Amino acid sequence: MKALITGVNGFVGRHLEDYLLSQQIEVWGTSRSVNHEQDHLNRVQLDFNQEEAIVQLLNTIKPDLIFHLAAQSSVAKSWVQVSRTLDANVTNTALFYDAIKQSEISDTVKILSIGSSEEYGIVSKENIPISETDSLNPTNPYGISKVTQYMLAKFYSSLGLHIVHVRPFNHIGPGQKLGFVASDFSYQIAKIELGLIDPVIKVGNLSAKRDFLDVRDIVRAYGQIIMEGVSGEVYNICSGEPIEISTILSTLVSLSKLRIEVITDQSLLRDVDIPLYVGSNRKIKNIIDWKQEIPIDRTLLEVLNFWRGKIQIVE
Ligand code: A2R
Ligand code: GDD
């Protein structure tokens, strides 16, 4: 069995590659820029606007599975990069599906489309935990792009491609970039521990509640749902448990033995920040044998240790 991951060098892509390799699946991965040091990792260069080249690539590799991860992944960035977010997440996805349709694998390949809990946007209290049938009211360009990706998944599915759409809720873990809450807090704590900055941590909205999973639990679900999910259908991937952002902060601070002052950085506050996202995972559990395995406290320690190691190497 062969898999192709777009955006393989990103946070989730690397964890997904590890998981698939552990399942004896051959993995190929695309990036907009590939250097020769990565050749042994089956990396291939891919520009989404080069349709002919993508068709050729698919005809050469002939993957059985395609995980389409490549995207502008930051909600915060999407407020200031609206058209870039739509280009990366919507236009590129349509171009990619067109190329798949023209390739020799169009009848056989199984595709996973990555959406987001941000597709739900404003949710009324009686709809908590959020189910896949709840209405979609996105409140930011990222959420809009992911709803559109969902529409594209349904559209191309109706044209004959096998595409399953997933809505992962927040996922964190070692290797995540800055710009996401657990990494942003851990990075600052690691710098404070080394005396590189004053013992003051800058934060955004601490009152929001999110449904967090470890990225390794998420990619395990991806690996199974691509095989078992129904084309054109959508599946939440979530824990079902809300955690307040203030708890993420206090857990990380408690893992460090330091006294740290917390201040709100106005630039980290968003115009709209949904107060509560918590999902129902009933639908996915009906289809695959999956449950959360990694407790979030363990993930947070690993994220902090990741930044501790990285800062020591860099500074
Ligand atoms: O091409 P690279 O190697 O720079 O990979 C990046 C790729 N990417 C893009 N590809 C095409 N056109 C773009 N405008 C574009 N912007 C980014 O997607 C990047 O490494 C990869 C995504 O990696 P991360 O930003 O680390 O996102 P993460 O957390 O791995 O998210 C994976 C998927 C995305 O669909 C998210 O929206 C969703 O999971 O949460
Ligand atoms: N990034 C960040 N940095 N967020 C902060 C901070 C901070 O310093 N302080 C508080 N927050 C709050 C945000 O306002 C938001 O309510 C919450 O922490 C989570 O923010 P992010 O980690 O940036 O994630 P996100 O929820 O916006 O988006 C992530 O989850 C989506 C699924 O729900 C991303 O991984 C998306 O790609 C993913 O689709």
Side-chain angles (χ1 to χ4, degrees):
M1 172 105 39
K2 254 189 238 177
L4 180 71
I5 304 173
T6 68
V8 71
N9 288 337
F11 165 55
V12 181
R14 288 171 184 271
H15 287 283
L16 178 61
E17 179 175 42
D18 287 348
Y19 171 73
L20 295 174
L21 290 172
S22 78
Q23 302 300 300
Q24 281 72 51
I25 294 175
E26 182 181 328
V27 179
W28 289 79
T30 78
S31 169
R32 287 166 298 174
S33 54
V34 173
N35 60 46
H36 288 302
E37 285 161 27
Q38 294 183 330
D39 282 351
H40 68 288
L41 291 170
N42 287 356
R43 296 290 190 263
V44 285
Q45 199 272 337
L46 183 144
D47 279 324
F48 285 93
N49 57 8
Q50 291 175 352
E51 196 172 270
E52 288 259 308
I54 301 176
V55 175
Q56 264 184 28
L57 181 79
L58 296 170
N59 289 344
T60 307
I61 297 178
K62 291 198 169 42
D64 306 287
L65 309 173
I66 295 179
F67 298 86
H68 179 39
L69 266 51
Q72 193 298 94
S73 59
S74 159
V75 174
K77 236 188 223 175
S78 78
W79 289 95
V80 286
Q81 296 188 357
V82 180
S83 63
R84 274 199 208 173
T85 301
L86 295 174
D87 276 351
N89 300 2
V90 178
T91 309
N92 282 355
T93 298
L95 289 165
F96 188 46
Y97 292 164
D98 273 341
I100 298 173
K101 261 189 79 22
Q102 291 170 52
S103 75
E104 292 162 14
I105 57 169
S106 63
D107 290 339
T108 52
V109 68
K110 290 186 168 181
I111 303 158
L112 194 72
S113 156
I114 314 297
S116 169
S117 52
E118 285 290 341
E119 290 175 54
Y120 294 112
I122 297 162
V123 182
S124 52
K125 274 194 189 129
E126 59 273 18
N127 286 342
I128 296 290
I130 308 166
S131 303
E132 291 82 349
T133 48
D134 288 337
S135 55
L136 305 175
N137 301 301
T139 57
N140 56 58
Y142 177 81
I144 293 168
S145 77
K146 289 293 177 179
V147 168
T148 315
Q149 256 186 267
Y150 168 55
M151 301 293 176
L152 287 173
K154 290 215 312 184
F155 173 64
Y156 281 90
S157 168
S158 75
L159 298 183
L161 291 184
H162 189 289
I163 310 183
V164 174
H165 186 74
V166 284
R167 293 197 183 119
F169 285 54
N170 291 60
H171 34 309
I172 56 173
Q176 192 168 29
K177 297 184 292 200
L178 291 176
F180 299 91
V181 69
S183 276
D184 284 352
F185 293 170
S186 300
Y187 173 73
Q188 295 179 76
I189 292 170
K191 281 192 130 181
I192 293 168
E193 286 178 339
L194 285 177
L196 296 170
I197 56 171
D198 290 339
V200 177
I201 186 165
K202 292 181 182 167
V203 301
N205 176 17
L206 294 182
S207 67
K209 294 187 179 123
R210 294 286 180 270
D211 182 325
F212 286 95
L213 279 173
D214 187 289
V215 64
R216 289 156 291 195
D217 279 336
I218 293 270
V219 298
R220 211 164 28 81
Y222 287 178
Q224 293 177 54
I225 200 70
I226 195 173
M227 310 290 287
E228 307 298 334
V230 176
S231 184
E233 282 288 322
V234 52
Y235 301 88
N236 284 346
I237 308 180
C238 51
S239 70
E241 295 295 331
I243 300 180
E244 196 166 289
I245 303 302
S246 62
T247 306
I248 298 289
L249 177 64
S250 59
T251 306
L252 284 167
V253 169
S254 74
L255 292 169
S256 166
K257 304 282 173 264
L258 301 169
R259 285 175 68 86
I260 296 176
E261 187 189 341
V262 175
I263 59 166
T264 302
D265 179 341
Q266 298 297 319
S267 71
L268 293 171
L269 300 175
R270 300 175 188 176
D271 286 350
V272 183
D273 203 13
I274 299 296
L276 168 67
Y277 275 129
V278 60
S280 161
N281 54 27
R282 188 187 293 185
K283 185 172 176 183
I284 195 170
K285 283 185 167 172
N286 278 337
I287 300 264
I288 57 172
D289 182 19
W290 173 90
K291 64 177 170 43
Q292 174 177 11
E293 283 182 354
I294 305 177
I296 286 304
D297 284 4
R298 192 178 116 198
T299 309
L300 289 173
L301 177 60
E302 289 189 35
V303 175
L304 181 57
N305 283 339
F306 169 81
W307 284 106
R308 282 170 169 159
K310 200 159 172 84
I311 287 168
Q312 268 172 350
I313 292 165
V314 173
E315 308 290 340

